[in-house]
Amino acid sequence: MVAERKEPVVCLVARHDELASEQIVSMQQLCKKPLALPRQSFGLRQLFDRTAEARLFKPRIVVEANNLDILRATAVLGTCVTIGPEISARREIEAGLLKAIPIDLESFRNVRSAVCVHQERVPSYATNAFVKFLKERFPLGSPR
């Protein structure tokens, strides 16, 4: 592992969505909304599914995609809400198109992102430059 950073998973909603006025959302609130979620191969989706299943919630998943940009675009339209790390929606949040709302579960607050480099491969110049950039900004194990 080269770098690690705490990246909580949040609810991403259009500014005009009823959830936008909330300071924190529950899994139950999320499961009642039309959802745009990543495919089941994504760790983000696996976390969501495990959590919903453990609480016997039946989420209303109306959009599945293997591209987080598509999920955020759907949320911007206001037809669905989605989840993800706040940093992934920084552009939409700064533009006032989405609001990031914390989810009231420890498992969503303690998600960490890691950058790993295969030890048996010789990294390119670009890879080394990128790894150096990451290490300077997100030291190994540092919280956000």
Side-chain angles (χ1 to χ4, degrees):
M1 181 170 31
V2 174
E4 184 179 51
R5 176 181 168 125
K6 186 175 180 181
E7 289 293 343
V9 173
V10 297
C11 174
L12 298 166
V13 301
R15 286 284 178 178
H16 63 273
D17 189 281
E18 63 187 20
L19 289 180
S21 63
E22 300 289 332
Q23 296 300 311
I24 192 164
V25 297
S26 69
M27 191 68 173
Q28 185 174 19
Q29 286 173 295
L30 277 177
C31 288
K32 289 180 180 178
K33 300 289 289 181
L35 294 166
L37 295 178
R39 294 186 185 256
Q40 292 176 331
S41 60
F42 283 64
L44 185 59
R45 174 64 181 274
Q46 293 165 19
L47 169 65
F48 182 89
D49 287 348
R50 277 192 315 269
T51 305
E53 187 177 309
R55 287 159 178 75
L56 303 177
F57 293 145
K58 301 289 184 206
R60 294 178 48 204
I61 302 165
V62 297
V63 175
E64 279 189 337
N66 63 356
N67 182 312
L68 299 181
D69 290 334
I70 291 171
L71 301 176
R72 287 192 310 276
T74 305
V76 166
L77 292 173
T79 55
C80 298
V81 301
T82 192
I83 61 172
E86 186 172 342
I87 195 170
S88 73
R90 181 177 292 162
R91 187 176 43 226
E92 293 90 345
I93 293 167
E94 289 175 357
L97 300 172
L98 288 178
K99 182 178 178 192
I101 307 168
I103 299 169
D104 73 346
L105 295 167
E106 193 74 21
S107 57
F108 285 82
R109 288 191 299 267
N110 288 324
V111 174
R112 300 183 75 75
S113 294
V115 176
C116 302
V117 176
H118 196 287
Q119 290 182 340
E120 295 177 15
R121 291 193 181 147
V122 178
S124 67
Y125 175 81
T127 300
N128 282 330
F130 182 62
V131 167
K132 180 180 177 196
F133 170 85
L134 288 174
K135 283 182 176 180
E136 290 170 356
R137 284 158 183 82
F138 313 115
L140 185 64
S142 75
R144 185 175 132 183

